[in-house]
Amino acid sequence: MTSLPPPAAPLPPPVAAPDVVVAQHGMIAVNDVSKFFGSVVAVSEVSFAINEGVTALLGPNGAGKSTLFRMLCGLTPASRGNVEVLGKDPRQDRSVRGRISLVPQQDALFDHLTAAEFVSFAAQTHAVPDPKAAAASALEMVQLTDVGVKPVGEFSKGMRQRVKVAAALVNDPEVLILDEPLTGLDPLQRRNMIALFHRLGDEGRCVLVSSHVLDEVARLGSRVLVIAQGRLIASGDYHDLRELMDDRAHRIRIGASKPRRLAAALVDRGLVSGVSVDDTGLFADTLDADAFGRTLAGLVVELGIHLTEVDPLDDDLESVFRYLVEGR
Amino acid sequence: MTPLDALPPTSGGRSRDVPASRALSLTYRVVLRQMTSRGRIIALTLLALIAPVAGWALGSADADLDDAVNLIAGIGLGVVIPIVALVFGGAAIGDLRDDKTLVYLWLRPMDRWPIVVGAALAALTLAASITVIPVVLAAALTGAGSGIVGGTAIAGMVGVVSYIAVFTLMGVWLKRFIVWGLAYILIWEGFIAQAGPGVARVALRKYTRSILVDRTGVDLDLADFSLAAGIIVPLLVALAALALAAWRLGSQDID
């Protein structure tokens, strides 16, 4: 599913039309959910459904990601609407809690325990058979097998993050909710962790990962939920999201041997809505990137122009995010 | 780093409901270790040691039974036991909530009451160890006879159990449990409850003092409950407090 709200400043309306609320179904189903803290609206009329695989929840700090995650785990009730995880209400149904795991954002652990003790404790609180073996397996998945008996209170931030992830994996959850799990990890650890998430998703688990870092989300997967100021402002594949923004020009950097001639030809053929030229190339703004790409190749051959680069500047998540959130 | 494809398959095993006894013992162990910080233990032990030092001083001065009972009722039952119980009882769940580790117990397939009872028992273990022995020792050091020692032991245990339960409830319910607890100990029990027998009924200190009065025959103000009431009422209050704490834990927001 890919849906996109019409752009508007400061925020576009939510994905679902507000007057037609369609019940969502999935491993995680969020139906018209709002959360208020007094007069503060933390989450507003959010609806979505996701199933197995990795889904990224993108939003700036304070957008409502953690509040949404807390509702998904039953840690706080929705003020309006309803949340279902695996068909159950996680706030009311105790049995479903054993099938969900949360990696909380806060850097909180039982600091006096070793990594093995902490993860084993998590296994015991899920009544997992053979908790020590389950803990060892989970720690191996996050590459924390050789940390000895040092208490987790003395661990680095990255190691603590991996301990939290291991504790979340120890009960073999069907739904895994990770709130900013890559914080504090070095690049190699991030890569391995992202690969682990994909593997878990490929195994049929529903993996929902939040981040405010665009680069991380782009690597986490193409399925994205975008949230800002408590509202779900877009959902779907972020490449598709970008394509659907057909009322906004794509900006493409083209390195060319004869930039002025190429610019004139592009304008003559109506392929660009705007163009600016410098010594080494040009910036072209086009409303139809596909048609632009198809025509450009033939055009440069026809004109005898040598291309050195063709770089879509706003095909990344940052531009999608900036457009959706800030309307620019 | 291990290559990803060399990693073992996920094999943790599906979670199951955790039996109440297991949930209780797991909570007890983790909370006991979490609360056992050296600074806290030393500071509260030093506070508790005031009682035996004062008892020894009184005994050395050949004080009578009235003075000994007033010392135990004032310092032991009025300050040492409630203050230490406040620190540990409030922290039992309150610390977990404040440092955000409560989620590791709350988000599990287990009942709420074993979490509360396990945490309260951990607090009771520490508070009773630190307070009851020094306060009973203080009673013995006064040299005022065996009645005061036995009465102090009973009153001390009843007091620490009931205070721990009430302050555990405060730790679950209130973010500033220390402030509210001190207000209860110093203002309510220490001041308002002195106003008359009606108000005294809702002050735990009056019940523990009544036990001491019953066992020694010494008269203390507004401490005229029977031995049975002195024991049973605080224990019923403790049960009610723990039940309320369990309900509250299940219904409140968790960070």
Side-chain angles (χ1 to χ4, degrees), chain B residues 35-214:
Chain B
M35 285 199 300
T36 313
S37 74
R38 184 181 298 174
R40 182 185 272 171
I41 297 292
I42 290 173
L44 294 176
T45 302
L46 288 175
L47 172 69
L49 287 177
I50 292 172
V53 169
W56 173 78
L58 205 62
S60 302
D62 292 328
D64 59 18
L65 181 61
D66 280 14
D67 294 331
V69 168
N70 275 300
L71 171 77
I72 296 302
I75 294 179
L77 303 180
V79 175
V80 171
I81 287 177
I83 294 290
V84 174
L86 169 61
V87 172
F88 286 120
I93 297 288
D95 275 7
L96 300 182
R97 188 196 55 220
D98 290 347
D99 68 17
K100 318 285 189 193
T101 51
L102 184 55
V103 68
Y104 298 118
L105 290 168
W106 199 97
L107 194 57
R108 295 294 187 264
M110 52 196 199
D111 286 328
R112 300 292 165 239
W113 71 263
I115 298 174
V116 168
V117 173
L121 284 176
L124 180 63
T125 302
L126 293 169
S129 305
I130 287 176
T131 60
V132 176
I133 293 170
V135 172
V136 172
L137 180 62
L141 288 173
T142 60
S146 60
I148 189 173
V149 176
T152 301
I154 298 169
M157 280 310 300
V158 169
V160 75
V161 168
S162 54
Y163 280 117
I164 283 288
V166 168
F167 294 138
T168 297
L169 172 62
M170 280 193 184
V172 170
W173 210 301
L174 305 168
K175 289 200 170 169
R176 295 181 179 176
F177 58 83
I178 290 286
V179 174
W180 286 103
L182 284 174
Y184 172 77
I185 294 166
L186 301 176
I187 298 174
W188 184 265
E189 291 207 327
F191 186 70
I192 297 173
Q194 308 285 348
V199 188
R201 289 181 186 279
V202 285
L204 288 171
R205 189 190 303 183
K206 297 300 179 188
Y207 293 89
T208 56
R209 282 161 69 99
S210 293
I211 296 170
L212 201 56
V213 166
D214 181 87

Side-chain angles (χ1 to χ4, degrees), chain A residues 293-320:
Chain A
R294 286 194 303 271
T295 310
L296 180 65
L299 186 62
V300 294
V301 171
E302 179 185 325
L303 298 175
I305 295 172
H306 176 63
L307 291 183
T308 56
E309 69 169 314
V310 178
D311 187 13
L313 297 179
D314 54 3
D315 195 29
D316 61 355
L317 199 54
E318 182 166 355
S319 68
V320 175

